Amino acid sequence: MNNYLDLSIKEIHDLLVNKKVTPIELVEECYTRIEESDLNSLITVNKTEAREYAKKLSQEEVEKDNLLWGIPIAIKDNISTKDIRTTCASKMLEHYVPIYDATVIEKVKEAKMIIIGKTNMDEFAMGSTSRTSYFGAPKNPIDKTKITGGSSGGSAACVAGGLVPLALGSDTGGSIRQPASYTGIVGMKPTYGRVSRYGLIAFGSSLDQIGPMTRNVYENAYLLNKIVGKDQKDLTSANREIEDFTRMIGQDIQGMKIAIPKYFVSDMVSPIILEKLNHVVDILKENGAVVDYVDMKYLDQAVTLYQIIAMGEASSNLARFDGVKFGYRSENANSVEDMYESTRCEGFGTEVKRRIMVGSYLLSGENAKIYYDKALTIRNAMKQEFDRIFKDYDYILGPTTTTVAYNLDESLDDPLKSFMDDVLVIPVNMAGLPGLNIPMGCDQNHMPIGLHIIGNSFEEAKMYQLASFLEDKLK
């Protein structure tokens, strides 16, 4: 079998242009790999439509200036895809087939990419392990006894396992960056509003953001180029000029100023991860960058803020899943009230129910002022603290996770652990900033360790500049 999927996007594109390979051959290689893998990384495969579209593309002229023409991609299963089942990894939406595409899917189709299937995830994106999936947990391709992280665990496993070159994930509190770290790939959560949320099944509307998950920095930047833009269907999407996120890749980092918050290097982070971070700091200093350890307020409150804001918004957003218009409906009901109760009891998993109940409590009556409104005030103060640091520094760095991926069979009973897995990445969602994970080495068991690069709002291109520089040095 030809291993075209192991080549870079540029190399595959050259083969397509020179008619050495066709889109249908790429698609068949994807499905062969998927069938041979036991990663449980996909919930729905899109075989018939993907093959038909690949054959159609094979009759067309290759778009020479579009590296993504004919390239297979996997899509997280909380992003609406017309005529392709979209489950959010929940019994509630097990048989739901959308009648419309999310805006990012329209953009994927405009780029002539081929959707291979929908990836496994935590149910309704609630979790940090992808083990809350109704369809069972995906496995980490580096070590199949380990978690992939979450909630975009299936997307991470697909890319890291070589099943597809590219995938889309979503990130509410670290859900792209944390699994990217655990599986050794590149994952970007763009600035809030950079990518349209229209068609993303909402979890926390003020936090959710779709982003690219890829094998390297250049491909990540290139895929981001294709999915950004103002969207009239999403009033929170940002009206920014079109830019090329790859344009600064390869530039020198001499004179760059980098801040590392002391909170990100405390004793909650494992020694091997801190060792790898120190190696990165040495590389930066040797190449003319300035690195300072700084004090930042409010970072230690990010998990609490996330619990209040994300759960409150989740309880509101998930109220629509009541068995009336779409999704699962319980048959064990004698009245409308019974039907609501039974549907939600049977249709949602434990973690989702827990978050809905806590969120409903937080938003009820006076509690909305005591908790939610206060959380928004502190969240605003946290954003101002980030702004203060970015007045003096180009980037903020830290580890992406406190540990490497742990065993799939470790207890799920501790709800706080789920949030603490994301303690280093949640502040970025609170502040609406872009965050990028790149691999920075492995531990003694070859499990990947991620570096977290935080940029100022809408400075993704600058982040890719630093990321590509370090990617090259860390090879």
Side-chain angles (χ1 to χ4, degrees), residues 316-329:
S316 173
N317 280 323
L318 270 63
R320 70 194 69 176
F321 302 110
D322 55 11
V324 177
K325 289 188 175 175
F326 57 88
Y328 175 77
R329 178 185 291 187

Side-chain angles (χ1 to χ4, degrees), residues 127-129 131-132 307 350-351 354-355 406 410-421:
S128 301
T129 63
R131 291 185 294 175
T132 67
Q307 287 174 309
T350 305
E351 182 64 23
R354 177 160 45 205
R355 295 196 189 196
Y406 48 85
E410 274 193 37
S411 172
L412 254 179
D413 293 339
D414 181 359
L416 186 59
K417 176 161 179 45
S418 167
F419 294 111
M420 293 311 288
D421 285 344

Side-chain angles (χ1 to χ4, degrees), residues 207-429:
L207 303 166
D208 298 341
Q209 189 62 187
I210 295 167
M213 304 178 77
T214 62
R215 303 168 298 185
N216 60 53
V217 172
Y218 180 85
E219 291 174 5
N220 201 278
Y222 196 91
L223 179 53
L224 185 62
N225 280 346
K226 298 294 184 182
I227 62 170
V228 300
K230 176 68 178 165
D231 180 16
Q232 295 306 321
K233 296 183 209 142
D234 173 12
L235 297 180
T236 63
S237 65
N239 190 13
R240 306 287 297 190
E241 279 185 32
I242 299 299
E243 58 180 295
D244 176 10
F245 296 111
T246 69
R247 71 185 186 277
M248 296 171 78
I249 288 177
Q251 290 183 19
D252 192 23
I253 64 156
Q254 178 83 26
M256 288 285 186
K257 294 187 71 180
I258 294 158
I260 299 178
K262 291 173 188 172
Y263 180 74
F264 287 172
V265 290
S266 67
D267 57 8
M268 68 179 170
V269 181
S270 74
I272 182 67
I273 293 178
L274 292 178
E275 185 185 307
K276 296 294 180 188
L277 180 64
N278 288 336
H279 176 55
V280 167
V281 170
D282 291 341
I283 291 171
L284 292 168
K285 287 179 175 176
E286 285 162 15
N287 287 276
V290 177
V291 182
D292 293 328
Y293 290 84
V294 300
D295 290 305
M296 276 189 77
K297 292 184 287 187
Y298 306 113
L299 293 179
D300 58 335
Q301 296 178 39
V303 170
T304 309
L305 293 181
Y306 179 79
Q307 287 174 309
I308 294 168
I309 295 168
M311 289 192 194
E313 292 180 5
S315 75
S316 173
N317 280 323
L318 270 63
R320 70 194 69 176
F321 302 110
D322 55 11
V324 177
K325 289 188 175 175
F326 57 88
Y328 175 77
R329 178 185 291 187
S330 173
E331 293 173 6
N332 307 315
N334 300 313
S335 67
V336 171
E337 195 169 305
D338 261 6
M339 189 269 291
Y340 286 155
E341 186 177 334
S342 300
T343 293
R344 291 170 72 78
C345 279
E346 295 162 21
F348 290 133
T350 305
E351 182 64 23
V352 173
K353 283 190 273 203
R354 177 160 45 205
R355 295 196 189 196
I356 288 172
M357 285 190 288
V358 173
S360 297
Y361 171 79
L362 292 169
L363 293 184
S364 61
E366 278 297 301
N367 289 347
K369 281 184 187 167
I370 298 168
Y371 298 110
Y372 190 77
D373 290 357
K374 187 173 182 183
L376 292 180
T377 302
I378 301 170
R379 177 184 181 175
N380 189 48
M382 183 185 285
K383 173 69 169 80
Q384 289 172 0
E385 186 71 351
F386 273 105
D387 291 343
R388 179 181 71 81
I389 297 294
F390 280 121
K391 280 179 183 161
D392 297 321
Y393 295 93
D394 298 293
Y395 311 96
I396 296 171
L397 287 195
T400 307
T401 57
T402 57
T403 64
V404 294
Y406 48 85
N407 290 340
L408 270 166
D409 58 5
E410 274 193 37
S411 172
L412 254 179
D413 293 339
D414 181 359
L416 186 59
K417 176 161 179 45
S418 167
F419 294 111
M420 293 311 288
D421 285 344
D422 294 335
V423 67
L424 300 172
V425 281
I426 282 174
V428 165
N429 299 82

Side-chain angles (χ1 to χ4, degrees), residues 97-131:
V97 180
I99 58 171
Y100 72 101
D101 278 327
T103 298
V104 285
I105 300 303
E106 290 176 357
K107 289 177 179 287
V108 160
K109 290 179 176 177
E110 282 168 21
K112 303 287 179 71
M113 302 183 75
I114 302 168
I115 297 171
I116 291 298
K118 305 299 290 292
T119 62
N120 205 348
M121 57 182 282
D122 279 299
E123 184 183 7
F124 283 101
M126 296 184 197
S128 301
T129 63
S130 297
R131 291 185 294 175

